[in-house]
Amino acid sequence: MVDKENAKKLPEYSDKILADNLVPLWDVLGKLVTPEPKSPCQPTMWKYSAVRPVLLEAGSLLTAKEAERRVLILENPGMPGESKITTSLYAGIQLIMPGEIAPAHKHSQSAFRFIVEGEGAYTAVEGEKSYMSKGDLILTPNGRWHDHGNESEEPTFWLDGLDIPIVQFFDASFMEHHSEDTHPHVIDDGDSVARYGSGLMPVDFEPTSLTSPVMKYPYKRTKQALDKMKQSDEWDPCHGLRLMYVNPVDGKSAMPTMGAFMQLLPKGFETSSYRSTDAMVFSVVEGSGKTQIGDKVFEWGPNDIFVVPSWHHHQHFADDESVLFSYSDRPVQQALGLWREDRGNR
Ligand code: 1HN
């Protein structure tokens, strides 16, 4: 305990030294180093039925080219104005109308597209087109030219996940626009999946990036894996059946800054309480159910998106067989030795 007389002088002392850019640690230590994660990120859900019509409205207000990317950011209400869904990650829903092109650019941020609705639009990365179907995961490694186009007759919607806040934290952002709308499309759709996504790798393969060389993880194959594995009835109490998208070069996360996962919960399954230090963004692919996060309950159906902040106890309840996509900053925390989980004791 500080002496009573001295304690009275301390606030004035703190004010005085502030002018010299000095701050007493004893005033802020408790806030800086918390006994447990304390996040401004709030548990939140976005119903697709609410997002879709307003995004379509934007479709009639400006073209993909005018907007550069026609996206509605899913902004966490706990961090207004910061364009973040969690403290470390960005999420948005992007719309591209038939015939449109979202022009080529490249940047330091890594991105993925998780396809929500539509069939036949594409993302091209350094000239390799990946055509989109619902549930596909398409990667855009950092520093690569990428453009999107929609050759189909339907509007196409997807979830964009980017590591924007991580790059922002390091002040390491660079971006360039291509001189043409599209980088020349010189590589066929499916090239990288065929080359690197079949359990084979060219001998002497030298990775040129920390990101997987496989540009598209088709839902057809993800679903096959889940459907086969569910037959063996081996359910993890916390996750049901949960798979991670991996880089076939090293078996680690497909992207260095974002971990992506797909999980299946059988009808009637209730997961046991779980929490981890990586906040997780979920996008419902199929099925319906609820997720309890702390004392909040979110009822979800196809294409709804919800976020579980760091170190928040949560439980999923599947009313029907459900498939949930999710992503988080887990590979970053693991690389730094920070990641922790608590599988509960029930
Ligand atoms: C971006 O490049 C895309 O390529 C989407 O579709 C969203 C948000 C911020 C910065 C770059 C895209 C983005 C973005």
Side-chain angles (χ1 to χ4, degrees):
M1 277 296 276
V2 180
D3 172 86
K4 245 187 178 174
E5 282 307 304
N6 284 341
K8 282 195 215 149
K9 296 178 192 157
L10 282 173
E12 196 186 332
Y13 169 83
S14 297
D15 288 350
K16 180 180 74 182
I17 65 170
L18 191 59
D20 296 319
N21 305 317
L22 292 167
V23 174
L25 175 61
W26 58 85
D27 283 351
V28 293
L29 183 57
K31 185 180 70 181
L32 291 182
V33 183
T34 55
E36 288 201 349
K38 234 178 123 95
S39 180
C41 179
Q42 290 174 11
T44 309
M45 180 166 69
W46 292 263
K47 296 296 284 182
Y48 187 61
S49 59
V51 178
R52 191 186 189 279
V54 284
L55 185 48
L56 264 182
E57 191 182 335
S60 62
L61 294 174
L62 76 181
T63 64
K65 197 171 165 177
E66 284 163 350
E68 186 158 345
R69 297 293 186 265
R70 188 194 291 107
V71 179
L72 293 180
I73 299 169
L74 306 180
E75 187 174 82
N76 194 285
M79 296 171 283
E82 295 191 36
S83 302
K84 297 174 179 180
I85 189 159
T86 71
T87 48
S88 62
L89 295 171
Y90 161 102
I93 306 288
Q94 183 158 172
L95 164 66
I96 183 160
M97 299 296 283
E100 285 191 324
I101 283 174
H105 67 200
K106 62 177 179 179
H107 41 68
S108 318
Q109 291 78 2
S110 296
F112 69 77
R113 330 288 162 195
F114 184 70
I115 314 313
V116 167
E117 183 187 330
E119 174 87 36
Y122 66 83
T123 284
V125 174
E126 297 273 323
E128 176 178 347
K129 274 184 176 181
S130 291
Y131 283 95
M132 299 173 170
S133 295
K134 184 176 161 63
D136 292 353
L137 179 72
I138 299 177
L139 308 185
T140 306
N142 58 357
R144 311 264 181 98
W145 292 113
H146 57 284
D147 47 85
H148 315 297
N150 188 350
E151 297 168 356
S152 82
E153 304 293 311
E154 321 155 24
T156 296
F157 299 82
W158 65 80
L159 168 68
D160 281 317
L162 286 93
D163 55 8
I164 293 172
I166 296 175
V167 177
Q168 197 172 45
F169 176 79
F170 291 113
D171 282 337
S173 175
F174 294 93
M175 184 192 208
E176 280 178 65
H177 294 95
H178 202 274
S179 53
E180 306 291 326
D181 278 354
T182 53
H183 182 279
H185 296 147
V186 288
I187 306 174
D188 291 341
D189 176 32
D191 185 275
S192 74
V193 184
R195 275 175 198 268
Y196 309 114
S198 311
L200 298 161
M201 199 61 74
V203 284
D204 303 325
F205 178 78
E206 293 283 354
T208 54
S209 151
L210 293 172
T211 302
S212 167
V214 179
M215 288 301 106
K216 176 164 76 174
Y217 292 72
Y219 186 52
K220 204 163 69 182
R221 288 171 72 168
T222 312
K223 193 73 197 308
Q224 264 172 4
L226 292 170
D227 281 342
K228 200 70 198 166
M229 291 173 78
K230 79 180 182 194
Q231 291 169 12
S232 65
D233 237 13
E234 286 169 37
W235 306 106
D236 179 286
C238 297
H239 305 303
L241 180 54
R242 192 168 194 221
L243 306 177
M244 179 173 91
Y245 291 87
V246 298
N247 179 345
V249 175
D250 57 12
K252 293 184 181 167
S253 168
M255 293 163 283
T257 49
M258 292 183 283
F261 308 86
M262 192 71 103
Q263 87 196 78
L264 184 142
L265 303 169
K267 185 180 164 81
F269 198 84
E270 176 180 333
T271 60
S272 39
S273 186
Y274 179 83
R275 60 180 174 167
S276 57
T277 52
D278 54 328
M280 286 182 282
V281 181
F282 286 89
S283 179
V284 180
V285 188
E286 297 180 44
S288 62
K290 328 181 232 318
T291 297
Q292 177 155 8
I293 309 171
D295 53 12
K296 284 194 178 164
V297 177
F298 297 105
E299 291 197 24
W300 41 257
N303 304 337
D304 293 343
I305 289 165
F306 60 93
V307 56
V308 180
S310 164
W311 214 239
H312 278 49
H313 287 287
H314 61 281
Q315 277 181 283
H316 304 297
F317 306 87
D319 295 332
D320 297 301
E321 179 177 289
S322 299
V323 180
L324 305 177
F325 170 82
S326 54
Y327 71 106
S328 79
D329 64 11
R330 192 153 136 181
V332 180
Q333 293 199 32
Q334 286 180 327
L336 301 177
L338 293 170
W339 186 75
R340 272 207 219 181
E341 66 177 347
D342 170 7
R343 294 177 55 90
N345 41 21
R346 290 200 279 155

